[in-house]
Amino acid sequence: MSPAPAPDDSPAVMAVRAARRPLWARLGEKSIEGMVYVSGISAIIFVLGIFVFVLKEALPVLGHEDFSLSRFLFSTEWYPTSEASKRYGVLAMIAGTFSVTLLAMVIAVPFGLGAAIYLSEFCGQKTRETLKIIIEFLAAVPSVVWGFIGLTVMSKLIVQFTGAPVGVNVLNGGIVLALMSVPIIVSIGEDALKAVPDSYREAAIALGVTRWQLIWRVLLPAAKNGLLAAVLLGVGRGVGETMAVLMATGHAVHVPQSVLDSVRTLTANIAAELGEASAGSEHYRVLFLTGVLLFTLTFAVNLAADAIVRGIRRK
Amino acid sequence: MSDPATPSIVTRDLNLWYGKFQALRGVSLDIKHGLITSLIGPSGCGKTTLLRCFNRVNERYGYVTTTGEIRVLEKNIYDPDVSLIELRRSVGMVFQRPNPLPLSVYENVVFGLRVHSDSPPTRATLNEAVEKALREVNLWQDLKDRLHQRATTLQLEQQQKLCIARLLPLKPEIILMDEPCSALDVEGTAAIEELMFSLKGKYTIVIVTHNMAQARRASDECIFMLLGQRIEHRRTEDLFIAPENPKTAEYIEGRYG
């Protein structure tokens, strides 16, 4: 039998605590706690701050009498510097962004998921490590370098092989963007496949499945949420990418009729024109409004990806 | 069906290495047709490894080397013309933790039929197979209205029964069970043992167990293993009442293990 412990606020206990924990230690701990807390919520502060700032710059344009939101969203006429009548329609750029992203995904999804399956299920340890390093290297190439490759190498090849009049177009941008999205799709896709419990593989193998049946009937269904999240993050990358597509797509405000047409994307438009628009002008504010549109698009895509990833964890 | 007199599984001088570690040493045994044979022994004695040789799932890991001979249903399973797919079709396996696939109850039961049929099986064939298999493992009453529920949401006992049920549509000759009750409570264990009795005769059952009482209750023959070797293989009652080898005697008395 040990004696009953003294109550927490008895003088003896307080004395022991005070002796054990000097003032500076207690203060130090409090301040570190505070710092960790601030860095924890700083991400939220920054995201909100950016959104508020962009919105603040954009909102006044909604009040201008010759600006209409529906024309902004649904008109293809972009003449921000016309003397006679300025028109701000970004539909052509929305079409540009979507066409380039769509083509990029058509190329990147099969390659990315194929590579993820190969890495997770087929190759040996050594090959996997090597390939992962190379894929990460691919992800680390600066986007302006990709743009440069699109502008110089790819555009010549495209002119040569397709006979298109200009080599900087949807096809060029799509391929460049695909190369940039593949590393994301591979690494998240591989994680998703690795997260499938090994007991599922054993169960299926003991039932006599072939490798292909294992992947098709067990692994892909079991990892489908993670794989979908991988694809959506790739899409997010595609929608948000600026420099590479600015250099590779030709920068023509035009709803594309084929993959060999030049287009301009929402991001490229902002990057190219913001420097020339005078601060506070209508043109300047419309560009910020385009930023709000982009922000909303990428936010929606990322939110969807996140919700899906959460869905996997719950199971 | 093979002749009841010939053993279902025969091994001769079977050695197995995981990398440099030798897990099985010169194991030779005959496992009789239609009986329940239990493999007992302390942890690390190689009983699970031996079990996993019989359908060659050990080879998933690249660093496994095997020498010697294993004949399953009178066919050497290391012959080059052996199809692993066919082998695993006739030798089913139940694992320590119930591992139904993340599909519906229905799809779990017909999974084997789907992967082993050249042409897609008809709905009627599948429905019939599901009812037959679930009846055989006494799950039909419980699950007949929940066939499209996700199998991973069932109780553990039901999951384990389902894992047995999904083997049956493939008409296996042998069912390997690797500590099938270790994740279950007393009632679940009793239910699985009862199920084993009802499957006996139709299938040759080999069960690895840590639980000596279970081996004694539920098996016809018993193999005692130690440090990768087969020490003793006899009728269960004989092994427990009058073990020949002093090591067996000490183990079943609980001196080590």
Side-chain angles (χ1 to χ4, degrees):
Chain A
M1 264 301 277
S2 57
D8 266 1
D9 55 351
S10 78
V13 170
M14 298 296 270
V16 167
R17 283 205 185 144
R20 209 167 36 201
R21 308 286 319 275
L23 185 66
W24 63 265
R26 273 179 288 159
L27 283 182
E29 184 164 319
K30 275 271 174 269
S31 59
I32 287 175
E33 225 172 74
M35 264 148 53
V36 171
Y37 177 73
V38 169
S39 29
I41 61 166
S42 64
I44 301 175
I45 296 171
F46 289 139
V47 169
L48 280 179
I50 292 168
F51 192 67
V52 166
F53 173 76
V54 175
L55 209 59
K56 190 179 81 68
E57 293 297 308
L59 277 184
V61 78
L62 295 177
H64 286 210
E65 68 258 30
D66 51 353
F67 177 83
S68 119
L69 190 61
S70 67
R71 201 135 26 92
F72 171 70
L73 287 175
F74 302 115
S75 156
T76 59
E77 301 196 344
W78 178 257
Y79 296 108
T81 52
S82 156
E83 291 294 331
S85 80
K86 296 183 169 46
R87 278 151 291 167
Y88 305 104
V90 293
L91 186 64
M93 290 171 248
I94 296 178
T97 291
F98 275 97
S99 57
V100 175
T101 307
L102 185 73
L103 181 65
M105 289 304 122
V106 167
I107 301 168
V109 169
F111 272 102
L113 294 187
I117 291 170
Y118 176 74
L119 280 181
S120 138
E121 304 303 323
F122 286 87
C123 70
Q125 185 71 24
K126 265 202 185 131
T127 325
R128 170 160 53 230
E129 293 309 319
T130 320
L131 279 176
K132 280 180 92 166
I133 290 169
I134 295 172
I135 286 166
E136 272 154 31
F137 174 75
L138 214 56
V141 174
S143 64
V144 68
V145 175
W146 283 118
F148 186 70
I149 292 170
L151 197 57
T152 58
V153 183
M154 293 265 298
S155 84
K156 282 198 195 102
L157 288 176
I158 287 172
V159 171
Q160 193 182 332
F161 283 103
T162 64
V166 279
V168 280
N169 48 27
V170 175
L171 181 62
N172 193 334
I175 293 173
V176 167
L177 211 51
L179 288 169
M180 298 175 73
S181 311
V182 159
I184 299 176
I185 297 179
V186 174
S187 63
I188 303 201
E190 196 223 344
D191 286 347
L193 286 168
K194 277 267 166 274
V196 175
D198 205 40
S199 64
Y200 294 168
R201 293 187 184 84
E202 290 230 295
I205 289 170
L207 280 166
V209 295
T210 60
R211 235 170 183 186
W212 172 241
Q213 287 169 329
L214 175 67
I215 290 162
W216 188 246
R217 290 186 176 271
V218 179
L219 296 177
L220 290 186
K224 67 172 185 293
N225 288 352
L227 297 176
L228 198 56
V231 170
L232 283 181
L233 286 173
V235 172
R237 171 96 210 225
V239 172
E241 176 49 41
T242 306
M243 192 39 89
V245 288
L246 171 63
M247 294 166 79
T249 53
H251 217 55
V253 182
H254 172 66
V255 176
Q257 311 295 318
S258 87
V259 292
L260 297 177
D261 284 358
S262 293
V263 292
R264 186 187 297 190
T265 64
L266 291 165
T267 50
N269 186 47
I270 299 176
E273 293 191 359
L274 194 58
E276 293 159 19
S278 56
S281 69
E282 202 176 28
H283 184 197
Y284 171 90
R285 298 209 184 283
V286 170
L287 289 177
F288 269 96
L289 193 62
T290 316
V292 174
L293 179 64
L294 260 176
F295 196 89
T296 317
L297 281 177
T298 45
F299 189 67
V301 171
N302 278 322
L303 207 64
D306 197 53
I308 290 168
V309 172
R310 252 169 236 284
I312 324 173
R313 293 223 192 95
R314 223 177 309 122
K315 259 178 263 153
Chain B
M1 271 291 181
S2 49
D3 177 9
T6 54
S8 291
I9 304 174
V10 176
T11 74
R12 288 293 174 264
D13 195 26
L14 179 66
N15 293 290
L16 181 142
W17 290 263
Y18 291 118
K20 291 214 153 43
F21 172 75
Q22 187 168 8
L24 293 179
R25 295 163 190 271
V27 175
S28 299
L29 40 80
D30 297 352
I31 290 174
K32 293 205 179 72
H33 178 86
L35 297 185
I36 302 176
T37 303
S38 59
L39 289 170
I40 61 167
S43 296
C45 70
K47 51 195 191 304
T48 295
T49 298
L50 179 62
L51 193 77
R52 288 167 67 94
C53 284
F54 299 151
N55 62 352
R56 290 180 64 181
V57 288
N58 266 337
E59 292 164 31
R60 283 190 68 203
Y61 312 109
Y63 52 90
V64 173
T65 346
T66 319
T67 64
E69 192 183 346
I70 304 177
R71 268 178 285 139
V72 170
L73 308 168
E74 300 180 69
K75 172 87 189 143
N76 184 348
I77 61 170
Y78 287 104
D79 277 352
D81 66 329
V82 163
S83 145
L84 283 182
I85 290 159
E86 287 308 310
L87 171 68
R88 289 166 185 169
R89 179 185 184 144
S90 49
V91 183
M93 187 164 219
V94 181
F95 294 83
Q96 196 164 354
R97 277 209 66 86
N99 58 354
L101 294 166
L103 307 166
S104 66
V105 170
Y106 188 97
E107 284 302 319
N108 262 282
V109 179
V110 299
F111 186 87
L113 284 181
R114 286 200 195 278
V115 300
H116 286 281
S117 314
D118 297 326
S119 56
T122 63
R123 200 77 204 165
T125 322
L126 297 179
N127 288 341
E128 196 187 330
V130 169
E131 179 167 352
K132 188 155 175 281
L134 289 181
R135 277 191 194 283
E136 215 168 334
V137 299
N138 311 320
L139 273 183
W140 179 250
Q141 283 308 320
D142 294 342
L143 296 185
K144 66 174 184 227
D145 301 320
R146 295 194 275 154
L147 292 177
H148 298 286
Q149 188 180 332
R150 234 176 134 80
T152 43
T153 62
L154 299 175
Q155 296 160 14
L156 279 180
E157 176 194 328
Q158 292 177 325
Q159 290 189 17
Q160 195 62 302
K161 284 180 174 173
L162 182 66
C163 288
I164 297 172
R166 73 178 168 196
L167 307 175
L168 305 182
L170 295 177
K171 305 196 166 47
E173 304 255 354
I174 299 168
I175 298 179
L176 308 174
M177 298 187 175
D178 183 3
E179 302 195 39
C181 304
S182 66
L184 306 182
D185 60 11
V186 178
E187 278 170 43
T189 304
I192 298 290
E193 284 173 10
E194 210 173 293
L195 180 56
M196 284 163 53
F197 287 128
S198 71
L199 297 175
K200 184 175 125 175
K202 235 169 135 183
Y203 310 98
T204 304
I205 298 177
V206 187
I207 173 176
V208 162
T209 176
H210 245 100
N211 179 336
M212 270 186 280
Q214 179 174 52
R216 196 165 184 171
R217 280 195 303 272
S219 67
D220 302 301
E221 298 220 325
C222 188
I223 298 169
F224 173 61
M225 292 184 66
L226 189 62
L227 298 173
Q229 285 170 309
R230 186 209 79 150
I231 304 293
E232 195 163 346
H233 177 188
R234 303 171 66 193
R235 286 179 54 206
T236 301
E237 48 209 280
D238 296 341
L239 186 128
F240 277 95
I241 292 167
E244 268 171 1
N245 192 302
K247 286 179 192 154
T248 315
E250 282 174 21
Y251 180 72
I252 61 178
E253 278 167 26
R255 298 263 184 90
Y256 60 95

